[in-house]
Amino acid sequence: MTTPYKIGVIGAGNIGTAMAALLSQSSAEVWLTARGARLSQISAQGVVLDERGSEIHATPKTAPQLREPMDALFVCVKSQSLAQAIALNKAAITPETLVVPMVNGLPFWFHAQADQMNAMPLLDPDGALSGLLRPAQVLGAVLLMTVQMDAQGRATSSNTPTLSLGCVSSGADDAKIEKLVSYLDASGVRTDVTPAIREKVLVKLLANFTTNPLSALTGAMLDEIGTDPALRDIALALADEFRTWALGEGFELPTNAWLVDLLQDAGAFPTSMLQDALAGKPLELDAICRAPHALAAAKSQAMPMMARLLEALKTDQTLPLPKPQVEALIQSLHRPIPA
C-alpha cells in the first residue's frame, strides 16, 4: 500500500482555510488545525473557498494539533504566534519535513546561513524557532492571494493564487521541494522556486510596510491610499524609508510609481492589519514594522515617518480611529519632522 503524501496546514484563518481547500484538490492527505468553534465548524462542514466565482468545497482531516509526521507543513498563523504554533505541532516535524511559514512581514529566517538561523530582533526573541527548525528544511514563501473570510467561515479570493518558494540556506533537498511543488501545481497554486526569495519577501513587505499601519489607523482601503493625495504622500515617505534600508541590505526595490499602480489596482481591499484591527485582534507590528525599524536603527538609519506611526499605535485605543482623529493624525504626519 502506497503511503500518502501528508501536508499539514496550521491555522484555519483566511490563508490557512484557502490553502487547505486548494491543497485538497491534489492527491495529498491534507490536515488542517483549528480550535474551539472553528474546529467544530470545519469538522462538521469542511472548508469552502470561493476562488474567482468557482466554489471549492473540501473536507481535510482536522485536529487541534498535529500528532504525526508530515511531509510538508504550511504554517498559516500571525508572525507573533509562529513560535507557539511550531512548538505545539512539533510532533509533525521530523528532520525530513519541509516547513513553509506563510507569514507577513520580515521573516525570522531572513539572515539564516548554512546551519545557523541567526537572531532577528523581535521575531524569535527566545530562540524557539531556531531551536526547533533547521535552516535547510525551511522554505521561504511569498503568497500573492487576496483572501477574506465571512462569519460563516467561507473564504473568498478574487485572484489566482501565486506562490514563490525559496530555500533559506544551503543544504536543502531539491527532490523534496520538487515533489511538494508537484502537489501545489495539482492544487491550482501557481508555484515557482526562486533563489531570490529574500528579494521577493522585501518587495511584498515594501507594500505592507507602507500601507498596513496607515490603514489600521485610518481605515483606508488600498486603492484609497494610492489615490488620496495626503495618504499617498505618507505611504511614499514610508516607502522611501524602507527602500533606503533595503538598499543597505543589498536589495534594490521597485519605484514609487510601481507602488502607486499596485495600490490603485488593488481596489477597495483592506490590508491584513486593517482586517485585524476591525476584528479587535493583535496587529502584526513586530514583523511588518518594528523589525525593519530596529534593523535600520542598528545601522543609524532613521525611519522618522514609521516612528511617528508606531508612536500613534502605542496608545490603547479602538482602531481605526474616529474621523476627527484621523484628520488630526494626517495633518500631524505632514508637518516637518523635528530636528
Side-chain angles (χ1 to χ4, degrees):
M1 183 175 179
T2 304
T3 302
Y5 188 86
K6 295 184 178 182
I7 300 178
V9 179
I10 298 176
N14 293 5
I15 298 301
T17 296
M19 289 299 297
L22 290 165
L23 287 164
S24 294
Q25 296 184 112
S26 74
S27 60
E29 180 180 298
V30 179
W31 286 79
L32 175 63
T33 71
R35 294 186 179 183
R38 181 67 174 142
L39 176 60
S40 300
Q41 182 184 53
I42 297 170
S43 299
Q45 304 172 14
V47 293
V48 179
L49 171 65
D50 182 337
E51 187 198 4
R52 297 172 297 160
S54 178
E55 186 174 288
I56 300 170
H57 187 280
T59 53
K61 295 178 182 293
T62 55
Q65 66 187 98
L66 301 175
R67 299 186 180 277
E68 57 184 89
M70 297 287 130
D71 293 291
L73 189 64
F74 289 86
V75 193
C76 305
V77 300
K78 299 296 183 182
S79 56
Q80 62 265 28
S81 303
L82 186 60
Q84 182 182 17
I86 292 289
L88 184 65
N89 293 277
K90 63 182 180 181
I93 304 171
T94 74
E96 306 303 314
T97 304
L98 290 176
V99 180
V100 188
M102 305 279 280
V103 293
N104 281 326
L106 199 64
F108 71 95
W109 51 258
F110 193 79
H111 285 159
Q113 293 179 340
D115 288 329
Q116 187 175 353
M117 280 295 184
N118 290 326
M120 289 287 286
L122 304 170
L123 303 179
D124 188 21
D126 301 322
L129 293 167
S130 301
L132 290 169
L133 301 174
R134 296 182 303 109
Q137 73 181 142
V138 177
L139 294 180
V142 175
L143 177 67
L144 300 180
M145 186 182 189
T146 55
V147 185
Q148 289 182 277
M149 195 160 61
D150 62 22
Q152 288 70 48
R154 177 190 177 94
T156 301
S157 176
S158 58
N159 63 333
T160 301
T162 302
L163 178 64
S164 292
L165 297 175
C167 308
V168 308
S169 76
S170 59
D173 190 322
D174 292 339
K176 287 182 186 176
I177 297 171
E178 185 177 342
K179 189 171 185 178
L180 173 59
V181 170
S182 72
Y183 283 95
L184 287 163
D185 287 342
S187 303
V189 181
R190 187 183 300 161
T191 308
D192 70 283
V193 180
T194 174
I197 191 63
R198 286 171 173 79
E199 181 177 358
K200 285 183 175 285
V201 164
L202 292 186
V203 170
K204 183 178 180 181
L205 183 51
L206 171 65
N208 286 336
F209 185 88
T210 58
T211 60
N212 272 257
L214 186 58
S215 68
L217 285 162
T218 65
M221 300 292 174
L222 286 174
D223 59 349
E224 187 179 355
I225 294 174
T227 54
D228 180 272
L231 293 174
R232 186 176 60 226
D233 285 350
I234 296 167
L236 295 185
L238 290 165
D240 289 341
E241 292 177 359
F242 186 83
R243 199 180 290 108
T244 300
W245 167 74
L247 190 61
E249 292 281 328
F251 300 95
E252 188 170 349
L253 301 184
T255 65
N256 282 342
W258 169 88
L259 180 60
V260 171
D261 287 343
L262 179 74
L263 298 180
Q264 292 178 353
D265 290 344
F269 188 82
T271 67
S272 61
M273 200 174 284
L274 175 55
Q275 291 181 52
D276 286 342
L278 291 168
K281 296 179 180 179
L283 307 184
E284 289 184 282
L285 288 172
D286 283 352
I288 293 176
C289 305
R290 292 187 181 123
H293 184 262
L295 288 170
K299 293 187 175 182
S300 300
Q301 179 207 327
M303 287 186 171
M305 186 62 78
M306 177 52 71
R308 286 179 166 190
L309 287 180
L310 288 172
E311 187 65 30
L313 286 162
K314 271 185 180 180
T315 57
D316 184 14
Q317 58 197 342
T318 301
L319 296 175
L321 299 172
K323 187 174 180 180
Q325 288 181 246
V326 169
E327 292 173 349
L329 173 67
I330 291 173
Q331 288 181 0
S332 72
L333 292 173
H334 279 84
R335 295 191 191 110
I337 297 167

